[in-house]
Amino acid sequence: DGGITQSPKYLFRKEGQNVTLSCEQNLNHDAMYWYRQDPGQGLRLIYYSQIVNDFQKGDIAEGYSVSREKKESFPLTVTSAQKNPTAFYLCASSLGLSRGQNTEAFFGQGTRLTVV
Amino acid sequence: AQKITQTQPGMFVQEKEAVTLDCTYDTSDPSYGLFWYKQPSSGEMIFLIYQGSYDQQNATEGRYSLNFQKARKSANLVISASQLGDSAMYFCAMRAFNSGYSTLTFGKGTMLLVSP
């Protein structure tokens, strides 16, 4: 089945450690995104990528890093520089962002990160 | 910049009744799309319905319809004949198409509870 796979579903990290969240898609989508969701809040964009080897900062990129070496994969690293990393992280993908397309995003099931 | 406002933190409805979830938006781009997503307690985001800014008719998808009032910049979601399984968070989102690297901007969401 086509879709987006995020792993792991739950992740615990000690303060001061970097951690990488995995996101893989087999939808042949060009664009991929990472969002952060805090309780009672909407989704805030961390990073996005339209093509391989290119990515752009979103609204809250500080303390995060990404790579896009393959079309199917867009891993997110939460670094020790992120002050408050405990949150629910959602990865998404969509067709290219060309004008006029009804390009809804398809989401993974999310990773809940807790810093202990 | 785009902005989505959802003013209802929570809504209650009885099973089989209709319910309207409010969404207003702000953008200077004349070409944009509006999306509604459902997020059950499991966390995944499920795409429900799409409305383009130039679409002449309001979008409908089964029990979901979008009450699009362009002059008022509102895109309310109407769920007819509510079911217990409709209990979830609902997010309104938009994408402006002429903004170059356009991405989805989300509102803070409305929690819908359907009672028997």
Side-chain angles (χ1 to χ4, degrees), chain A residues 12-79:
Chain A
F12 295 88
R13 183 197 100 176
K14 289 185 179 178
E15 272 193 50
Q17 288 181 339
N18 292 356
V19 64
T20 297
L21 282 58
S22 169
C23 178
E24 304 276 332
Q25 55 102 357
N26 61 4
L27 299 167
N28 200 31
H29 284 166
D30 291 311
M32 296 188 75
Y33 317 82
W34 274 105
Y35 288 91
R36 169 180 172 142
Q37 186 178 23
D38 294 285
Q41 300 290 319
L43 278 65
R44 293 184 291 167
L45 184 66
I46 305 172
Y47 268 98
Y48 61 101
S49 168
Q50 290 198 84
I51 55 173
V52 173
N53 293 323
D54 182 62
F55 46 84
Q56 306 293 325
K57 291 182 179 180
D59 300 320
I60 55 165
E62 186 175 351
Y64 300 98
S65 66
V66 293
S67 63
R68 186 88 187 275
E69 296 177 1
K70 299 186 300 182
K71 188 175 184 178
E72 305 81 27
S73 179
F74 192 41
L76 173 75
T77 297
V78 184
T79 74

Side-chain angles (χ1 to χ4, degrees), chain A residues 33 35 37 40-43 45 48 50 54 56 88 90 94 97 99-105 107-109, chain B residues 31 35 37 39 41-47 50 89 91 95 97-98 100-109:
Chain A
Y33 317 82
Y35 288 91
Q37 186 178 23
Q41 300 290 319
L43 278 65
L45 184 66
Y48 61 101
Q50 290 198 84
D54 182 62
Q56 306 293 325
F88 187 56
L90 283 158
S94 71
L97 297 173
R99 295 180 184 186
Q101 287 191 1
N102 171 11
T103 51
E104 84 265 21
F107 285 81
Q109 298 229 326
Chain B
S31 180
F35 304 78
Y37 283 84
Q39 187 181 41
S41 57
S42 54
E44 78 270 29
M45 298 285 283
I46 302 167
F47 167 71
Y50 167 82
M89 280 289 287
F91 290 97
R95 171 180 284 133
F97 295 134
N98 291 332
Y101 288 100
S102 68
T103 61
L104 277 173
T105 299
F106 285 82
K108 292 191 174 183

Side-chain angles (χ1 to χ4, degrees), chain A residues 2-13:
Chain A
I4 300 178
T5 302
Q6 287 187 243
S7 61
K9 191 170 182 179
Y10 298 96
L11 189 57
F12 295 88
R13 183 197 100 176

